[in-house]
Amino acid sequence: MPHLARRLFALPQDLEGAAQSWLEHGERTPRAARLASSVVLLRDSPTGLETWLAYRPGSSPLGVLAFPGGSLDAADDDPVPWLGPSPQHWAEQMGTDDVGLARRHVLGAIRELFEETGLLLAGPDMAGTVEATSTPEWMRARVAVAEQEKTFPEILAKRGLSVRTDLLKSLVNWRSPDFAHRRFDTRYFAATVPLNQQPTLLEGKGVWGRWVNAADVIAERHTTALGDEVGQENTVGRTLGELLVPGSEIMLEKMAAANGCIAYLSYKRKAHVYQPVLVEEDGKLMLEVEAAKTTADDPQRER
């Protein structure tokens, strides 16, 4: 059983005002959190596990750099042909009694992954997945879903496809801090890239996205290398902790320590909620998160 430890993370710049206000005016009822799903894409490389990170324009509660994902929408409740583990199974995996909610999160994860990367966890049956989703026709379908001109179930129905929920693995639940003005309650899943598919940025929306080596990113966490490469006003000169939410940083640590995709995906996880708490440490406001230590010498404080 992994040892849980209290971890300290830097408070993102765009949350400083909300944190100060929360302290000055006393704790209030937190704003309602929007439900979201996110997918951690994985692939093996000669130098370790790689994952897909992308830039999010604006100030996203899921981080300036994040795994593909976003808010659930109304169409995630629509009927859709479903292959793989049942919504009941997913509810158990996610530690919730709400089967409908679990179903929405799973469908939202598959939809968001399709919108943001073009990867489609769907096929005509359990034996196969769609191939070559990088065509102009598929890009038009992605844009239509992103712009809410068509629903994701409509896109699937037109092509006789069913979602392949067996291609997802439940990871963790991240909740935005109570004091944040915009809050998300996000369920994270993991997936590998289906055969003959490649992630691409959404036309007209994507700014930067690429495969990153988890071990390299963690090794350079105290430098501004990744933020400088992204090259946006709110990434240049920032370290990893200023670009990601702590939950994403912890997941990257675990990927960096994992011995490949199969080992990472087959690890038995219990449903866990990352709930950051505002604390003052040496006169500085920080976020405290309860998380498993990745290695024996894992530092408890991340600057």
Side-chain angles (χ1 to χ4, degrees):
M1 186 67 195
H3 174 63
L4 287 177
R6 306 301 294 182
R7 302 276 307 275
L8 289 171
F9 292 84
L11 180 70
Q13 284 179 8
D14 54 4
L15 287 180
E16 285 172 2
Q20 287 288 357
S21 171
W22 182 264
L23 290 177
E24 286 166 17
H25 298 101
E27 295 189 7
R28 298 177 297 274
T29 304
R31 298 193 181 198
R34 290 177 69 175
L35 298 173
S37 288
S38 189
V39 180
V40 176
L41 278 178
L42 301 166
R43 74 176 185 185
D44 287 315
S45 84
T47 53
L49 212 49
E50 294 185 341
T51 189
W52 180 267
L53 281 181
Y55 172 76
R56 291 188 175 281
S59 60
S60 168
L62 294 179
V64 181
L65 294 186
F67 305 112
S71 301
L72 302 190
D73 69 28
D76 294 332
D77 276 328
D78 291 354
V80 66
W82 182 286
L83 296 170
S86 67
Q88 287 84 356
H89 169 88
W90 282 108
E92 289 165 19
Q93 292 292 306
M94 294 160 63
T96 177
D97 295 328
D98 191 334
V99 174
L101 178 67
R103 182 193 178 282
R104 289 174 65 203
H105 273 295
V106 169
L107 194 58
I110 295 174
R111 173 184 54 74
E112 282 287 341
L113 183 66
F114 173 65
E115 282 180 39
E116 294 198 6
T117 70
L119 299 182
L120 184 52
L121 306 183
D125 50 46
M126 286 289 278
T129 48
V130 181
E131 296 191 22
T133 55
S134 301
T135 63
E137 185 206 350
W138 277 113
M139 182 63 81
R140 284 193 294 274
R142 286 168 64 187
V143 170
V145 173
E147 301 289 341
Q148 298 189 324
E149 292 162 6
K150 287 188 179 157
T151 69
F152 184 54
E154 285 170 350
I155 296 289
L156 295 174
K158 181 183 173 186
R159 294 162 178 81
L161 298 172
S162 303
V163 291
R164 290 277 310 274
T165 73
D166 57 307
L167 300 179
L168 281 179
K169 174 91 176 183
S170 182
L171 293 179
V172 294
N173 183 189
W174 164 262
R175 291 178 185 157
S176 300
D178 286 349
F179 61 83
H181 294 317
R182 291 170 64 217
R183 300 183 64 241
F184 275 109
D185 184 341
T186 309
R187 298 282 182 166
Y188 283 85
F189 301 85
T192 54
V193 179
L195 192 67
N196 292 331
Q197 294 190 29
Q198 289 298 327
T200 56
L201 295 175
L202 180 62
E203 205 170 79
K205 288 272 185 83
V207 175
W208 177 95
R210 75 167 173 89
W211 290 103
V212 298
N213 181 290
D216 289 349
V217 169
I218 290 300
E220 296 174 352
R221 74 199 314 173
H222 302 303
T223 76
T224 63
L226 190 59
D228 293 344
E229 182 200 318
V230 177
Q232 301 298 307
E233 190 181 344
N234 59 348
T235 67
V236 172
R238 292 192 177 188
T239 59
L240 193 68
E242 297 170 296
L243 300 171
L244 301 173
V245 295
S248 297
E249 196 171 342
I250 293 165
M251 282 185 270
L252 277 169
E253 288 175 1
K254 294 184 189 308
M255 284 179 242
N259 191 16
C261 276
I262 291 172
Y264 182 85
L265 290 170
S266 58
Y267 181 79
K268 294 216 175 345
R269 296 170 177 83
K270 287 192 173 178
H272 182 71
V273 178
Y274 289 140
Q275 179 70 67
V277 177
L278 187 65
V279 295
E280 193 169 328
E281 192 76 14
D282 302 328
K284 187 178 177 186
L285 290 179
M286 302 190 79
L287 292 177
E288 186 179 79
V289 180
E290 187 177 76
K293 292 174 74 169
T294 308
T295 58
D297 60 353
D298 190 26
Q300 288 207 36
R301 176 171 306 184
E302 306 306 334
R303 293 294 186 189

